[in-house]
Amino acid sequence: MTLYRFISNNILFKFDPEFIHDCMQVILSNKFAPYLTSLYSTSNKHISKTYIMRKELNSPLALAAGFDKNCAILKALDKLGFGYIVGGTVTINPRPGNLKPRITRYVHNNSMVNSLGFPNLGVEKIIENLSKYDLKTPLIMSISGDSISDITELYKLLSDYCFGFEINISSPNTEKLKYFHDYNNFENLIKSLNEIKSKPYMIKLPRFGISNLDQKSKVIYEKYFQILSDNNVDGLVLSNTFPVEDSILKVGQGGLSGKPLYQNTKHLISFANQFFKNNLDIVASGGISTSDEVRELLKEGASGVQLWTSLIYEGPGLIKRINKELL
Ligand SMILES: Cc1cc2nc3c(=O)[nH]c(=O)nc-3n(C[C@H](O)[C@H](O)[C@H](O)COP(=O)(O)O)c2cc1C
């Protein structure tokens, strides 16, 4: 057991998960925090180049959306050795999110369930935050909304602050996103984005299963894939959390993340790559916590992977460790 895990099991995990995440945000937004996180930075000897949306990156590991929703701690995260960071998900207007409690941990299998529902400060305040930085790590912005015009507006407003976008239609905690689960609405969103396109973008799709992919899910994914292919979308992120019921959460349901998702993520990547045959950047998200898993996913056809829940269970040294082991 690492020292980080020992401290987490005995102290941090005794408190409410969102309270700890908020405390961490306060600590990491301090101007001295980058000195602290630079203790975990990846050495220049441990660089594994990859390309995502034609951008050369120093590592296939990225920080997944939702960790820094308000782009308030990017300066500290910049030091950790990610190939890129996904900021957001940002919406046009500030949102409080769902009622609390809205995160719960399952320490026995390194997973958690959240029902946050996009709490964020809204694009205006987030642009103020982004304007303060001069980051070394490339940034992708995750954007979402209730309508096509919300999303295209965000795309235009944030274009100067990132090298590309992740369009999030995947969160299980935001009812209005279901609008984009209609194939026509989804294709109209992509066509509207293509009309104003100045930066590449990936689509983050929902997760329809937790273990093997069943036939029904395959048919749904293939319909989405065909739309991405017909409209020259630059990349695909597979996938978000898996919807589950959980009475600890005020709203009674949320999205499961962490270790139990890994096998499904692997099946999804392999299935998507059979369709796209290495002609699209596919990024894996869900349950990834070791260098062996990263290698396995790259072999299945992923161009890169994203981490979230494993950082809570393994700590900030995880990125440095995986980067080193990948060589
Ligand atoms: C607390 C929490 C908040 C999240 N918020 C977002 C979000 O705002 N936007 C998004 O696209 N994904 C969000 N996610 C999903 C993650 O980006 C990731 O896709 C998912 O957790 C699976 O990866 P993991 O098993 O490595 O955590 C969130 C996940 C968690 C645990």
Side-chain angles (χ1 to χ4, degrees), residues 51-55 57 62-66 68-69 71 74 83-90 126 130 135 137-143 158-159 161-168 199-204 234-237 281 283 306:
Y51 286 83
I52 304 234
M53 301 196 289
R54 300 178 292 287
K55 175 95 173 162
L57 305 166
L63 179 64
D68 188 6
K69 286 178 186 286
C71 299
L74 290 180
Y84 67 96
I85 290 171
V86 185
T89 295
V90 180
I126 289 169
L130 287 170
L135 300 174
T137 313
L139 184 68
I140 283 181
M141 285 306 296
S142 167
I143 55 178
L158 288 164
S159 283
Y161 300 93
C162 55
F163 81 89
F165 288 92
E166 194 175 281
I167 313 298
N168 178 14
K199 296 270 167 91
Y201 68 88
M202 313 194 263
I203 299 285
K204 186 170 180 181
D234 306 283
L236 167 66
V237 183
D281 287 338
V283 173
Q306 298 180 353

Side-chain angles (χ1 to χ4, degrees), residues 249-262:
L249 304 169
K250 185 81 183 169
V251 294
Q253 56 195 23
L256 174 73
S257 64
K259 200 104 196 126
L261 298 186
Y262 178 73

Side-chain angles (χ1 to χ4, degrees), residues 29 48 54 65 75 87 100-101 127 165 229 249 300:
S29 57
S48 327
R54 300 178 292 287
K75 198 76 206 152
K100 297 178 183 178
I127 286 179
F165 288 92
S229 168
L249 304 169
E300 293 292 345

Side-chain angles (χ1 to χ4, degrees), residues 21-313:
H21 196 74
D22 291 348
C23 291
M24 186 201 68
Q25 295 269 331
V26 171
I27 295 167
L28 292 182
S29 57
N30 184 288
K31 67 176 185 222
F32 298 110
Y35 297 106
L36 186 71
T37 48
S38 63
L39 297 173
Y40 296 100
S41 62
T42 298
S43 142
N44 286 339
K45 287 188 301 198
H46 301 127
I47 284 176
S48 327
K49 295 264 183 216
T50 190
Y51 286 83
I52 304 234
M53 301 196 289
R54 300 178 292 287
K55 175 95 173 162
E56 188 183 63
L57 305 166
N58 282 342
S59 166
L61 304 186
L63 179 64
F67 198 90
D68 188 6
K69 286 178 186 286
N70 295 317
C71 299
I73 56 168
L74 290 180
K75 198 76 206 152
L77 297 173
D78 193 30
K79 305 284 178 195
L80 287 177
F82 289 112
Y84 67 96
I85 290 171
V86 185
T89 295
V90 180
T91 56
I92 287 279
N93 295 311
R95 291 196 188 192
N98 290 323
L99 292 175
K100 297 178 183 178
R102 51 189 186 178
I103 308 184
T104 175
R105 297 183 201 94
Y106 290 95
V107 177
H108 68 281
N109 66 359
N110 289 10
S111 70
M112 52 205 263
V113 180
N114 89 83
S115 58
L116 290 177
F118 287 172
N120 78 103
L121 297 173
V123 68
E124 203 180 309
K125 181 71 187 122
I126 289 169
I127 286 179
E128 261 176 49
N129 288 347
L130 287 170
S131 313
K132 293 184 218 146
Y133 300 123
D134 178 18
L135 300 174
K136 200 168 65 105
T137 313
L139 184 68
I140 283 181
M141 285 306 296
S142 167
I143 55 178
S144 195
D146 298 342
S147 65
I148 293 177
S149 60
D150 270 13
I151 296 178
T152 51
E153 187 60 21
L154 283 162
Y155 182 99
K156 286 191 241 166
L157 289 169
L158 288 164
S159 283
D160 288 343
Y161 300 93
C162 55
F163 81 89
F165 288 92
E166 194 175 281
I167 313 298
N168 178 14
I169 62 145
S170 59
S171 168
N173 302 315
T174 314
E175 197 49 36
K176 287 194 173 155
L177 278 190
K178 301 236 161 74
Y179 176 78
F180 297 111
H181 300 176
D182 171 282
Y183 302 119
N184 282 331
N185 296 341
F186 178 65
E187 187 157 22
N188 287 337
L189 167 68
I190 289 177
K191 286 187 190 305
S192 304
L193 284 166
N194 285 351
E195 276 169 24
I196 55 159
K197 187 166 166 183
S198 58
K199 296 270 167 91
Y201 68 88
M202 313 194 263
I203 299 285
K204 186 170 180 181
L205 289 178
R207 185 179 301 266
F208 299 117
I210 192 178
S211 55
N212 268 330
L213 266 175
D214 58 26
Q215 197 49 37
K216 198 170 144 223
S217 309
K218 283 184 180 172
V219 171
I220 299 173
Y221 278 119
E222 272 172 343
K223 287 197 178 144
Y224 280 118
F225 294 168
Q226 195 57 52
I227 296 171
L228 299 187
S229 168
D230 292 346
N231 292 281
N232 297 318
V233 170
D234 306 283
L236 167 66
V237 183
L238 292 167
S239 177
N240 208 307
T241 53
F242 177 70
V244 289
E245 295 196 348
D246 193 319
S247 58
I248 295 172
L249 304 169
K250 185 81 183 169
V251 294
Q253 56 195 23
L256 174 73
S257 64
K259 200 104 196 126
L261 298 186
Y262 178 73
Q263 282 308 323
N264 183 251
T265 302
K266 189 176 142 192
H267 287 129
L268 277 174
I269 298 300
S270 160
F271 179 65
N273 202 38
Q274 279 165 31
F275 185 96
F276 289 106
K277 302 194 169 37
N278 295 317
N279 286 316
L280 184 82
D281 287 338
I282 304 170
V283 173
S285 166
I288 302 153
S289 62
T290 68
S291 53
D292 283 345
E293 289 167 350
V294 177
R295 257 188 234 105
E296 196 167 42
L297 292 166
L298 296 178
K299 212 166 121 214
E300 293 292 345
S303 308
V305 310
Q306 298 180 353
L307 312 177
W308 204 124
T309 303
S310 54
L311 290 169
I312 302 300
Y313 288 107

